[in-house]
Amino acid sequence: MRVLIVEDDDALASQIDLQLRQLGLTPLRWSVGRPIHPDYPPDVDLVVLDLMLPEVDGFTVLEQLRSVSDVPVLVLSARDGSDDKVRALRLGADDYLCKPFWPEELRERVLARLRRPVLRRSEVLVLGAISIDRRGHRVTVDGELLSLTPTEHAILLELASRPGHAFTRRALAQAALDPDRDGNERSLDAHLSRLRKKLGTGIIETVWGVGYRLAGPRVEP
Amino acid sequence: MRIRTRIALVATIVTLPQLLLLGALDQNSRVHAAEGALAALGEQALASPGAEEACLAAPNRWATETLASVGPGRPPAHGRGPKPPALEILPAVDLRRSALSSSAGVFARVSGGRGSDLQVVARTGWQAPCDAIAVQGDTVPGFLGSLLPASPTWVLPGLLVALVMWLAVWPVVGRVQALAKHVKRGVHPLPDDGSDEIDALARAVNDAVAARRRTEEELRSFVQNTLHDVRIPLTVLRGHLVRLEEAPSTSSVRGALQEALYIGSLLDNLAAHARMEHSRRDSIDLGGIVEQVIRRHRPIAARVHSRLHHGIPSDPVHVLGDLTLCERALSNLVENALSHASGGNVAVTLDVDDTRFILEVLDDGPGIDDDELEAVLRRGYTGADARKRGAPGSGLGLSIVRQIADVHGWQLELANRPQGGLAVTLRGELATPLKDPAH
C-alpha cells in the first residue's frame, strides 16, 4: 500500500518514511505543497499531510484533493489551536495529529485509516457454535434454536450490532431493557449472567470499568 | 466634533430660531394692534357728524381737522408709540383697489404703505374724491401690541442661558480629558471619589483594569510555575540521556521517554491555560475525542503495564466546545489515572440521556483521601498518596480540567469508587438534544 507524505521538514519526513516502511508500506514524499490536478489525483491509499507547507499550503492541497478523491487524509499540525483542527476536519481531513507526536501514535493512526473492516457487515454473526442472525433475530447453538427471553434477546442483538465494541452498562440498559418490565441498569447484570450461562463462556466479555462486549476480533479506534 | 463645539452649535441651533420666532411674533402682534388702532381712528373719522359734507367741501382740511379731533393725541414724550397717524383722502388714481372691500367702512391693511409701516384703507360710500380714505401710521417695538420689550435687552436671558450651559459643560469636558490623560499615561487607579457619572466611569475603568491585571498576573504566575516545573523533568531527562551515552539501558530509555512525555504534557497544559479566555464554541463529537485520546495513550498505557478501556455510543455525541481544550481535559484525566493506576486498569466511558452527556474516567488505583478530593483540583496540589508513592505530577492536570469544565459550563466531580480507585465524572449539555420533547 502506498502512502503519500507531504512534509517540508526533511528530518521529520525521513522519520515518518522509516516508520511507514517498518509497517510494510510504500511511502512517497513531497517536500512542498503542490496543486492537485483534477484528472490526476495522487494514486495512493493514504495521505499524511502537513498543514504548513511552502508553495501551496496544506489547507489548499487538502481542499483540492477532497474535490477529486476520497483517499483518507491524516493531517499533521504544529499548531495546537482548535481553529486549524476544525478547519481541516471541515475541509475533509479524516484525522489529525499534533506535533510533537509519538511514533506509536502515528503508527496507530495510519493503520486505523488503512485497516480493512475485519468483520463484514453480514447478517449472520458466527462465534464458534453460536450463530446470531441479526436480521431474523434468531440465535442458534449448533443449529438448535436457543431459548432466550425477550430481554436476553434484546441484549444479545444490541451487542451483536457492533461486535468487538464495548458497550457501557447504561447504554445497554437504555437500548435493551424495558424499565417497567425488566428493571434498570442495576438488573442488567442479572440478565447478562443468565444470558452468559445460556451462551457458554467466551462469547460475552466483561470490559473493566465500561461494561460488556461481544467477543471476536477486537475493534480498536 | 469636540463636545464643546457640539454644545455651542446645538445651543445656537436651538436658541436662534426661538429668538427669531419671538421677534416675528412680536412684529406680527404690533402690526395687528396698529391695524386695529388705525381702523378705529378711520371709523371714528367716518362716523363724526357732517363728515361727508365736510369732506366733499374741503377734503384736506377735513382730514386734518378730523385727525385733530379723533387722533391719538400728542406722541409720547420719549418718542415711544406710533407716529401720529395721517388721515388722507386718496385720489382715485392712488386707490389700492385690490385691498378695498366692496362694503363701505370696512378697513383693510395695505402692504407697504406710502412712506410708512402701515396703512389701512376703506371705501367711504361717499362721492369722489371722498369715496375712499386711508389711515397710516407705524408700529414701535415695546408699545402697542408688543409681546417683547422695546429694548433689545430681552435677548440677553437667552444668550445668558446658552452661555451658562456652555460654562457648565466646560469643567465636565475638562474632567473627561483629564481621565483620558490618566488612562494614556497608565495611571491607576483613576480618581473616583465623587458620585457623579464621571466618577462612575472612572470606577468602571478602575475595575476593568484591576480585573485585567489580575488575569495577567495569574497567567504570569502560571507561566513561571510551569517553566519551573519543566526544568525538573528536563534535568532528569538530561540525566537519563547522559547515562544512555555512557551505557545503553532500557530503564534509562524508559525514564527518558517518561520525562519527555511529562514535559509535553506540561507544555500542553500551559497552552490550554493560555487558551481559556479565547476558547471556541464548535459542535464537536465527544465520542471522537474519546477515541483520539485513547489512541494517543495506548502506547503510554503499555509502557506502564496498564490496561486502557473505553466505551462510547454508536452515534456521535455532539457538544458545543473547544476541541483542543476538550482533548486536553480528557488527556489530563487519562494521564492522571494512568499515573496512579500503574499496572492496573483505566476506563473511559461516554453515555448520553435525552439532553446531557456523562463522561467518566475510572481507575483501580489507590484513590484520593476524601478530605483531599476538592484540594486536588487546585493548581500545584498533589494528593498524599501520590506524594507517598512519588507518582509523577505537578498537581497541574486536574486544575486545568476544572478550568476547562468551568469554561464550558460543565460539572466536574471526583469520587472514590466503592470497589477502589477514583471516578472522575464530567457532565454537560448536548449540543442537540437526542429527542424532541414535543414528540
Side-chain angles (χ1 to χ4, degrees):
Chain A
M1 298 182 93
R2 289 147 56 93
V3 179
L4 173 62
I5 306 168
V6 189
E7 170 60 65
D8 61 322
D9 185 287
D10 190 56
L12 179 58
S14 298
Q15 272 196 359
I16 297 173
D17 187 303
L18 180 61
Q19 286 159 26
L20 296 181
R21 287 183 196 280
Q22 287 173 346
L23 291 173
L25 302 170
T26 305
L28 309 171
R29 283 165 66 166
W30 289 359
S31 59
V32 297
R34 295 181 195 170
I36 305 292
H37 195 288
D39 296 326
Y40 304 104
D43 181 21
V44 292
D45 300 284
L46 173 71
V47 176
V48 177
L49 173 66
D50 184 29
L51 289 179
M52 306 295 288
L53 293 169
E55 296 190 22
V56 181
D57 73 275
F59 288 112
T60 306
V61 173
L62 174 60
E63 199 171 8
Q64 290 179 356
L65 186 61
R66 263 299 160 259
S67 68
V68 297
S69 169
D70 288 332
V71 63
V73 177
L74 169 60
V75 153
L76 305 179
S77 175
R79 298 197 300 206
D80 192 35
S82 297
D83 308 7
D84 281 0
K85 290 177 196 170
V86 170
R87 189 179 169 199
L89 290 171
R90 283 189 182 150
L91 284 173
D94 296 274
D95 200 356
Y96 60 84
L97 200 51
C98 292
K99 301 172 187 175
F101 51 82
W102 294 95
E104 302 96 322
E105 200 177 350
L106 174 69
R107 189 175 64 225
E108 287 222 8
R109 302 287 181 94
V110 166
L111 287 177
R113 293 295 142 203
L114 291 174
R115 187 180 294 135
R116 291 204 171 86
V118 177
L119 294 166
R120 307 241 180 260
R121 194 87 187 144
S122 63
E123 300 302 335
V124 179
L125 189 62
V126 177
L127 298 164
I130 309 290
S131 175
I132 303 171
D133 181 348
R134 287 186 276 210
R135 190 168 188 175
H137 293 195
R138 295 172 77 243
V139 181
T140 57
V141 178
D142 289 329
E144 296 281 331
L145 195 64
L146 194 62
S147 172
L148 299 175
T149 65
T151 304
E152 290 165 356
H153 209 260
I155 292 171
L156 185 58
L157 283 179
E158 183 65 18
L159 289 171
S161 67
R162 295 176 81 202
H165 282 269
F167 286 77
T168 65
R169 296 171 69 253
R170 181 194 292 255
L172 266 181
Q174 281 176 345
L177 297 189
D178 178 347
D180 295 330
R181 185 188 67 201
D182 308 315
N184 54 19
E185 199 178 319
R186 287 200 191 95
S187 58
L188 183 70
D189 294 333
H191 290 291
L192 266 152
S193 174
R194 286 192 287 273
L195 180 59
R196 278 165 132 167
K197 278 189 189 134
K198 292 180 184 178
L199 292 174
T201 55
I203 302 298
I204 296 179
E205 295 175 343
T206 300
V207 180
W208 188 94
V210 179
Y212 303 95
R213 165 175 61 214
L214 201 64
R218 201 163 290 187
V219 178
E220 306 289 4
Chain B
M1 188 188 289
R2 292 187 168 270
I3 292 179
R4 285 179 184 140
T5 309
R6 188 179 297 154
I7 287 177
L9 198 60
V10 167
T12 305
I13 289 171
V14 168
T15 309
L16 195 57
Q18 289 183 42
L19 295 177
L20 292 174
L21 183 63
L22 275 174
L25 287 174
D26 178 69
Q27 166 78 5
N28 199 47
S29 178
R30 282 187 281 115
V31 163
H32 277 293
E35 248 186 69
L38 292 174
L41 280 175
E43 283 163 5
Q44 283 183 37
L46 292 178
S48 58
E52 183 177 2
E53 292 77 17
C55 180
L56 289 170
N60 290 336
R61 194 171 71 199
W62 174 79
T64 307
E65 285 173 359
T66 302
L67 188 64
S69 65
V70 304
R74 289 180 177 288
H78 298 290
R80 291 180 70 242
K83 287 195 296 231
L87 194 64
E88 288 186 272
I89 307 299
L90 296 173
V93 298
D94 286 345
L95 278 178
R96 305 299 199 262
R97 290 188 185 277
S98 62
L100 284 174
S101 164
S102 56
S103 306
V106 176
F107 283 86
R109 184 159 68 93
V110 174
S111 60
R114 192 175 57 179
S116 67
D117 284 345
L118 202 59
Q119 188 183 68
V120 296
V121 297
R123 291 186 196 279
T124 58
W126 302 338
Q127 292 174 24
C130 298
D131 57 341
I133 62 169
V135 187
Q136 51 188 48
D138 63 5
T139 65
V140 173
F143 193 57
L144 205 62
S146 294
L147 298 177
L148 299 171
S151 166
T153 54
W154 59 267
V155 301
L156 287 181
L159 293 175
L160 195 62
V161 166
L163 181 65
V164 165
M165 268 174 58
W166 199 64
L167 288 175
V169 164
W170 190 280
V172 170
V173 173
R175 284 176 65 200
V176 171
Q177 285 177 329
L179 260 183
K181 273 192 197 138
H182 282 316
V183 171
K184 225 178 194 179
R185 277 196 252 119
V187 169
H188 184 265
L190 302 172
D192 65 356
D193 41 7
S195 59
D196 64 12
E197 289 83 348
I198 303 288
D199 296 303
L201 174 63
R203 273 191 289 277
V205 170
N206 286 340
D207 290 345
V209 168
R212 168 67 64 178
R213 285 187 177 173
R214 272 195 303 273
T215 304
E216 285 171 359
E217 184 51 42
E218 275 173 22
L219 184 60
R220 205 169 14 245
S221 168
F222 189 91
V223 169
Q224 281 171 355
N225 288 335
T226 303
L227 287 174
H228 170 266
D229 291 342
V230 164
R231 291 186 210 286
I232 297 168
L234 209 46
T235 306
V236 175
L237 176 62
R238 280 181 187 165
H240 285 305
L241 292 173
V242 164
R243 276 195 288 281
L244 275 171
E245 204 176 21
E246 292 162 359
S249 149
T250 308
S251 64
S252 292
V253 169
R254 276 210 197 101
L257 283 171
Q258 191 170 341
E259 298 308 320
L261 174 68
Y262 181 50
I263 291 168
S265 180
L266 276 174
L267 293 175
D268 286 339
N269 281 321
L270 177 63
H273 185 85
R275 271 186 81 77
M276 292 292 178
E277 282 195 20
H278 306 285
S279 59
R280 290 174 60 110
R281 286 297 172 273
D282 299 300
S283 179
I284 56 178
D285 176 19
L286 266 187
I289 289 176
V290 170
E291 292 194 326
Q292 285 268 4
V293 171
I294 294 293
R295 268 197 291 262
R296 188 174 306 143
H297 289 83
R298 275 199 199 287
I300 300 163
R303 285 208 174 84
V304 297
H305 308 293
S306 290
R307 288 164 293 285
L308 190 52
H309 316 278
H310 78 289
I312 60 173
S314 310
D315 297 322
V317 177
H318 289 297
V319 299
L320 287 178
D322 185 292
L323 183 57
T324 300
L325 290 181
C326 293
E327 284 182 356
R328 180 70 345 233
L330 187 56
S331 292
N332 282 356
L333 292 178
V334 170
E335 283 162 17
N336 193 64
L338 285 173
S339 73
H340 288 89
S342 185
N345 292 282
V346 174
V348 180
T349 64
L350 178 62
D351 283 301
V352 293
D353 62 17
D354 288 346
T355 60
R356 293 171 68 79
F357 71 87
I358 305 135
L359 179 63
E360 276 197 315
V361 178
L362 314 174
D363 66 61
D364 57 5
I368 296 175
D369 289 346
D370 284 340
D371 50 6
E372 289 187 317
L373 283 173
E374 274 294 317
V376 291
L377 296 175
R378 289 199 301 265
R379 194 203 186 283
Y381 189 95
T382 306
D385 187 77
R387 289 195 298 273
K388 267 188 272 173
R389 293 186 302 112
S394 63
L396 178 63
L398 290 180
S399 74
I400 290 286
V401 175
R402 181 181 210 164
Q403 288 178 55
I404 293 171
D406 288 344
V407 156
H408 286 85
W410 297 343
Q411 293 80 51
L412 173 67
E413 290 168 20
L414 274 66
N416 287 307
R417 300 173 66 232
Q419 317 88 315
L422 188 68
V424 182
T425 309
L426 270 170
R427 289 190 174 86
E429 297 286 328
L430 295 174
T432 312
L434 290 181
K435 288 182 199 166
D436 183 345
H439 297 91

